[in-house]
Amino acid sequence: MKRTGGQLIVEALKANGVQRISCVPGESFLAVLDALHDSDIKVLVCRQEGGAAMMADTWGRLTGEPGICMVTRGPGATNASAGLHIARQDSIPMILFIGQVQRDAREREAFQEVEFRRAFTEFAKWVGEIDDAARIPEFVTRAFAIATSGRPGPVVLTLPEDMLRDEVEAPEALPYVPVAAHPGRNQLADFHKRLAAAERPMVVLGGTRWTEEAVAGIRQFAERFRLPVGCSFRRQMLFDHLHPNYSGDVGIGINPALAKEIKEADLLILLGGRLSEMPSSGYTLVDIPYPQQKLVHIHPDPSELGRVYRPDLAICASPADFVAALADLAPLHETPWAERTERMHAAYLAWSKTPEKSPGAVHMGRIMDWIEVNTADDTIFTNGAGNYATWLHRFHRFRRFNTQSAPTSGSMGYGLPAAVAAKQLFPEREVICFAGDGCFMMHGQEFATAVQYDLPLIALVINNGMYGTIRMHQEREYPGRVSATALDNPDFAALARAYGGHGETVKATEEFGPAFERARASGKPAIIEIALDPEAITPSRTLTEIAQTKGR
Ligand SMILES: Cc1ncc(C[n+]2csc(CCOP(=O)(O)OP(=O)(O)O)c2C)c(N)n1
Ligand SMILES: [Mg+2]
């Protein structure tokens, strides 16, 4: 039986278990859109391709299966590149399909033509173009395999529009087969020996290819060996923050006591992550290329092992496969570091206590306290980039897997599309987006997508009338010389209502709880604007104090 290229794409997605895609349509892939008309794949039509790609990223992040996004050539794909970059840096499986110019117009700089195999090479693990509709099953299966294997990441497939209309015979699509990456027996024995010889071990969790079982498994491992565990930047959902073995967030603005413990550890077990610039406090926690600690690095991609840090023991394994193997490790007779583990957790608890004081009528610390008491453990928190995110990362106690969607790449504008995607995936769970006034406006139009698909997320817009992070750096480096960081903003609550959602404005701390309850009760997507005093730029220091520290 002959089918069009468009139909074969949709069949291949179905065969691989795809249930949802995000897209902004284009005339370059009408044949795929037409095939979707007859399928039960849920299509989220978005307002801008950056948001669409970020939604696919969140799906990839929270399911481990590639998130799927479809956009048109030049203008659509360049918009989507924002999400592609996040998936790349954050190791998230994603497939971005791009409608492409017809085959016989290629290389003329035809309408909206970009040769993505050249342009997107650094943004994706693989960029392929499907020239022959009969090869769609081959290309799509390969795209799934590449996106999910080794270090996961985004794959780009471009689809010449005439190819999509061709009617061809093609083999029936079969699902891709995930590639496991297990540790070897000798490596586990070596690992065990190193653990037994350690005095100040430390575990840092990061990366992707985690599962609910793996998160439970690493908790049991930490308990059995009484090990302190930290989570890498924006990978906080990997360990229960109230567990006695949790020692804190290895991210921006790390607890100095934790940074010291990591620097002074004699055995550092880096599980799943790369310890890149943000989690390593600007490459200061671990010496490059020869770490001062004995380093055991476990990562699913061999090319990451020894790339920046030369490990003493390199194990090429996915976190899930490695943790499964840990269950067989014999217990140790002694764990002399147990007291240190307890001390580190106590230090974390103290560090994550909200500050007493804050300038202005709104105290974000008290708002975080309210959130801690009044939200369920399975609540999903999303955010983009900005100083406001510190409140979430430092003071929210993440308890469970799949409760966080945030870009380690520090991309602004991520939180709202991420919340849309998370709510679509887990409609029964509460989804709270943290955004700054700058951050929200980058993909705020996806609030319309939330309304269109009836996804009642709650967005907190922490409005300090500026690109606060950059203003903070300005005040530190060039005190008093404000340049290109001030923002005049819309009335965010009115904006929410204009979209058909629920809007609230919070101008004093005590207004937050009732506003949140009303937002919840509305059953609609909601924006709660929190008017934050610009002075309250960090939990511990005001803008003025930062300006006064120049040169000190
Ligand atoms: C897409 C993108 N553009 C620019 C930046 C640089 N940047 C980092 S934080 C920031 C300001 C964020 O402002 P806002 O969302 O209002 O949060 P605030 O820092 O004020 O809390 C900027 C411009 C970035 N990280 N991402
Ligand atoms: Mg701001």
Side-chain angles (χ1 to χ4, degrees):
M1 194 181 77
K2 286 193 169 181
R3 283 151 301 167
T4 67
Q7 287 166 333
L8 288 166
I9 292 283
V10 173
E11 269 179 36
L13 294 180
K14 289 283 305 171
N16 283 286
V18 170
Q19 295 175 31
R20 56 188 66 79
I21 69 170
S22 61
C23 98
V24 175
E27 67 274 32
S28 56
F29 59 103
L30 287 176
V32 180
L33 294 174
D34 186 67
L36 284 166
H37 181 269
D38 299 328
S39 95
D40 55 5
I41 294 177
K42 175 98 182 154
V43 181
L44 254 70
V45 180
C46 303
R47 306 306 169 116
Q48 210 262 20
E49 290 86 351
M54 290 174 197
M55 289 181 204
D57 176 278
T58 286
W59 289 331
R61 202 178 285 268
L62 299 183
T63 66
E65 302 283 332
I68 310 293
C69 179
M70 286 186 188
V71 301
T72 199
R73 47 207 172 182
T78 46
N79 276 348
S81 65
L84 208 55
H85 174 252
I86 296 169
R88 182 70 175 147
Q89 280 229 314
D90 288 28
S91 314
I92 304 297
M94 181 205 278
I95 304 173
L96 178 69
F97 289 92
I98 304 175
Q100 181 58 301
V101 300
Q102 64 201 47
R103 284 165 291 189
D104 62 6
R106 276 188 304 219
E107 297 290 352
R108 289 178 183 160
E109 198 182 337
F111 181 58
Q112 302 179 338
E113 183 185 0
V114 172
E115 173 43 65
F116 294 102
R117 282 170 295 188
R118 292 194 292 265
F120 277 2
T121 304
E122 203 167 316
F123 287 79
K125 276 185 87 177
W126 175 49
V127 186
E129 180 155 293
I130 311 183
D131 223 22
D132 174 358
R135 294 184 65 186
I136 285 174
E138 174 191 343
F139 271 73
V140 174
T141 304
R142 181 169 168 196
F144 274 86
I146 291 179
T148 52
S149 62
R151 177 184 172 195
V155 166
V156 173
L157 284 181
T158 66
L159 311 169
E161 65 169 278
D162 56 325
M163 179 281 293
L164 291 173
R165 285 195 303 266
D166 279 354
E167 292 190 35
V168 298
E169 301 271 2
E172 191 188 336
L174 295 175
Y176 81 103
V177 176
V179 182
H182 296 285
R185 206 184 306 162
N186 293 348
Q187 292 172 314
L188 285 168
D190 192 348
F191 176 66
H192 193 250
K193 219 168 63 197
R194 288 171 187 278
L195 198 54
E199 286 174 15
R200 296 176 308 282
M202 169 83 208
V203 183
V204 177
L205 310 179
T208 55
R209 299 190 66 178
W210 286 89
T211 60
E212 186 111 45
E213 297 72 49
V215 164
I218 198 68
R219 192 187 59 227
Q220 283 155 15
F221 171 72
E223 285 166 359
R224 283 174 61 217
F225 293 89
R226 312 195 60 180
L227 291 163
V229 179
C231 291
S232 189
F233 183 51
R234 295 184 172 171
R235 308 289 193 191
Q236 290 172 272
M237 65 179 187
L238 298 179
F239 208 86
D240 178 356
H241 288 20
L242 290 182
H243 190 282
N245 292 58
Y246 185 64
S247 58
D249 177 24
V250 186
I252 298 178
I254 188 174
N255 178 0
L258 176 58
K260 187 164 179 291
E261 291 286 3
I262 295 175
K263 281 185 191 162
E264 293 175 0
D266 65 345
L267 178 68
L268 182 61
I269 301 161
L270 189 58
L271 173 48
R274 300 183 297 123
L275 204 69
S276 59
E277 187 173 354
M278 292 299 125
S280 64
S281 300
Y283 296 117
T284 62
L285 294 184
V286 177
D287 290 345
I288 298 170
Y290 307 123
Q292 69 275 33
Q293 311 88 340
K294 293 277 177 223
L295 177 68
V296 178
H297 193 179
I298 304 112
H299 196 282
D301 185 341
S303 67
E304 289 298 334
L305 296 165
R307 177 178 171 182
V308 180
Y309 308 98
R310 175 194 170 276
D312 293 276
L313 172 62
I315 301 183
C316 185
S318 80
D321 294 325
F322 181 73
V323 172
L326 289 177
D328 299 332
L329 234 50
L332 292 175
H333 297 305
E334 282 173 36
T335 51
W337 51 77
E339 211 176 298
R340 171 172 163 271
T341 301
E342 284 169 25
R343 207 174 60 234
M344 287 169 74
H345 184 60
Y348 160 72
L349 289 178
W351 176 252
S352 61
K353 244 179 86 145
T354 52
E356 290 298 321
K357 286 201 308 223
S358 176
V362 167
H363 189 326
M364 271 308 292
R366 297 292 88 77
I367 289 178
M368 291 311 299
D369 293 342
W370 190 95
I371 288 173
E372 293 309 284
V373 173
N374 292 285
T375 56
D377 288 349
D378 69 353
T379 303
I380 300 170
F381 290 87
T382 71
N383 63 271
N387 266 35
Y388 71 86
T390 310
W391 294 101
L392 182 62
H393 297 330
R394 179 162 163 191
F395 301 112
H396 174 55
R397 271 78 181 257
F398 287 90
R399 310 293 312 273
R400 287 176 50 173
F401 185 57
N402 270 354
T403 54
Q404 183 179 34
S405 189
T408 71
S409 68
S411 187
M412 287 172 69
Y414 181 82
L416 186 68
V420 172
K423 190 69 187 171
Q424 202 278 337
L425 195 60
F426 296 110
E428 72 290 353
R429 288 162 63 176
E430 192 152 65
V431 177
I432 302 177
C433 161
F434 273 58
D437 46 328
C439 207
F440 184 85
M441 295 294 280
M442 284 208 181
H443 287 291
Q445 70 276 51
E446 301 306 339
F447 196 73
T449 311
V451 172
Q452 178 164 345
Y453 295 100
D454 191 18
L455 301 170
L457 55 90
I458 299 181
L460 310 183
V461 178
I462 297 144
N463 181 6
N464 55 5
M466 60 182 180
Y467 287 126
T469 304
I470 312 306
R471 173 75 185 279
M472 173 184 73
H473 290 303
Q474 267 172 1
E475 292 292 351
R476 200 177 45 222
E477 305 290 331
Y478 306 96
R481 293 171 59 81
V482 179
S483 178
T485 48
L487 296 173
D488 284 340
N489 288 307
D491 175 341
F492 287 104
L495 193 65
R497 289 190 286 273
Y499 276 118
H502 180 87
E504 294 280 350
T505 312
V506 170
K507 293 198 164 131
T509 308
E510 58 279 10
E511 292 169 12
F512 181 77
F516 195 97
E517 294 293 7
R518 287 192 295 273
R520 219 177 224 167
S522 76
K524 295 179 186 174
I527 298 174
I528 303 177
E529 177 185 346
I530 300 173
L532 189 66
D533 190 317
E535 278 293 320
I537 190 69
T538 77
S540 53
R541 299 171 78 214
T542 65
L543 205 52
T544 306
E545 283 165 356
I546 287 169
Q548 287 164 349
T549 55
K550 163 99 176 151
R552 269 199 262 149

